[in-house]
Amino acid sequence: MASLMEMKEILRSADAVCFDVDSTVIREEGIDELAKFCGVGDAVAEMTRRAMGGTVTFKAALTARLGLIRPSYEQVQKLISDNPPQLTPGIRELVSRLHQRGVQVFLVSGGFQSIVEHVALQLNIPTANVFANRLKFYFNGEYAGFDETQPTAESGGKGKVIAHLKEQFHFKKVVMIGDGATDMEACPPGDCFIGFGGNVVRNQVKEKAKWYITHFDELLKELEER
């Protein structure tokens, strides 16, 4: 297991950094915001809490929550325009610094492609670097389920995405940054996991992560070292 000093060196020499999105890059949980917007906020928040506790699989929890929300295409678009996701302080500067260093930045999320792509646009991250779940709609815009073939629809999916990126781009060192257990589980194959508690603290992650931060400025400082 890498020491904290070794992990800092991995960050400074990484050729790719993957960020979780909900409660990491943005301040809120996208699915909970969508549920509130569609009038079923409390019921879905309770399901989210149970899912975070690890008692149900990610896919089962996602299926159940979306079955309750049943968002239409119009509702998703209206959520993005009326209540756009709020970027976490410091993320814009951190992503910009990584880009300046020639590091590839990816958004790897159990959230929804349409919302995550909106976030990527604000951070100058190409949409090709977004891995998230895709909602499906009927021709009249009604909810038709989600694409269950996406790796991010499964438990362990973020690790599969990192393995795929390493294979495709021959990255030597990939860092994963996130607030949840699914982010921590992505290392390995990721080379370093940095726990983030700036928006919400998940005790399991705080206790187990060797490197745990509460503000992105901490990583910016590390990158300024060299």
Side-chain angles (χ1 to χ4, degrees):
M1 292 289 281
S3 67
L4 182 57
M5 195 180 291
E6 286 166 334
M7 290 170 78
K8 289 182 174 184
E9 185 50 43
I10 290 170
L11 174 69
R12 287 196 289 267
S13 59
D15 36 20
V17 174
C18 297
F19 287 92
D20 170 50
V21 176
D22 294 333
S23 298
T24 300
V25 167
I26 62 173
R27 306 195 73 151
E28 54 275 286
E29 285 286 324
I31 195 162
D32 288 348
E33 294 305 304
L34 185 58
K36 274 188 247 174
F37 195 76
C38 296
V40 289
D42 290 346
V44 169
E46 179 53 39
M47 278 184 173
T48 299
R49 274 195 293 278
R50 285 209 300 272
M52 290 295 181
T55 49
V56 286
T57 67
F58 183 82
K59 186 183 269 189
L62 186 61
T63 304
R65 286 179 290 177
L66 282 172
L68 204 56
I69 304 169
R70 301 194 66 77
S72 66
Y73 177 80
E74 188 183 357
Q75 283 173 317
V76 174
Q77 296 309 309
K78 195 160 168 47
L79 170 71
I80 294 169
S81 62
D82 292 6
N83 299 314
Q86 301 298 304
L87 291 177
T88 300
I91 188 64
R92 201 186 288 276
E93 294 80 0
L94 179 57
V95 170
S96 174
R97 186 79 185 100
L98 289 166
H99 281 156
Q100 285 166 13
R101 292 168 68 94
V103 178
Q104 287 250 36
V105 178
F106 296 86
L107 299 180
V108 185
S109 172
F112 307 119
Q113 189 89 13
S114 45
I115 296 172
V116 178
E117 283 185 351
H118 176 81
V119 173
L121 203 62
Q122 294 180 71
L123 296 171
N124 296 316
I125 295 169
T127 52
N129 288 18
V130 168
F131 292 84
N133 288 315
R134 294 174 188 271
L135 294 171
K136 297 199 289 195
F137 303 99
Y138 291 111
F139 66 93
N140 63 355
E142 285 181 6
Y143 175 67
F146 64 96
D147 182 355
E148 297 189 21
T149 66
Q150 292 296 317
T152 47
E154 299 264 14
S155 299
K158 292 180 180 181
K160 285 180 187 161
V161 170
I162 291 177
H164 161 74
L165 293 175
K166 282 188 152 188
E167 193 178 323
Q168 186 177 359
F169 298 108
H170 307 292
F171 292 138
K172 298 279 186 293
K173 289 177 183 168
V174 178
V175 173
M176 180 77 209
I177 301 171
D179 68 289
T182 58
D183 308 308
M184 191 160 57
E185 288 161 5
C187 298
D191 299 278
C192 168
F193 169 69
I194 303 170
F196 182 73
N199 294 310
V200 61
V201 174
R202 316 245 184 240
N203 286 328
Q204 177 193 6
V205 176
K206 187 178 181 182
E207 286 161 17
K208 290 186 180 173
K210 279 201 173 173
W211 192 358
Y212 194 81
I213 62 166
T214 53
H215 202 289
F216 288 124
D217 280 357
E218 296 172 59
L219 301 186
L220 264 175
K221 285 193 189 102
E222 287 301 329
L223 294 175
E224 299 304 335
E225 300 278 307
R226 201 169 92 190

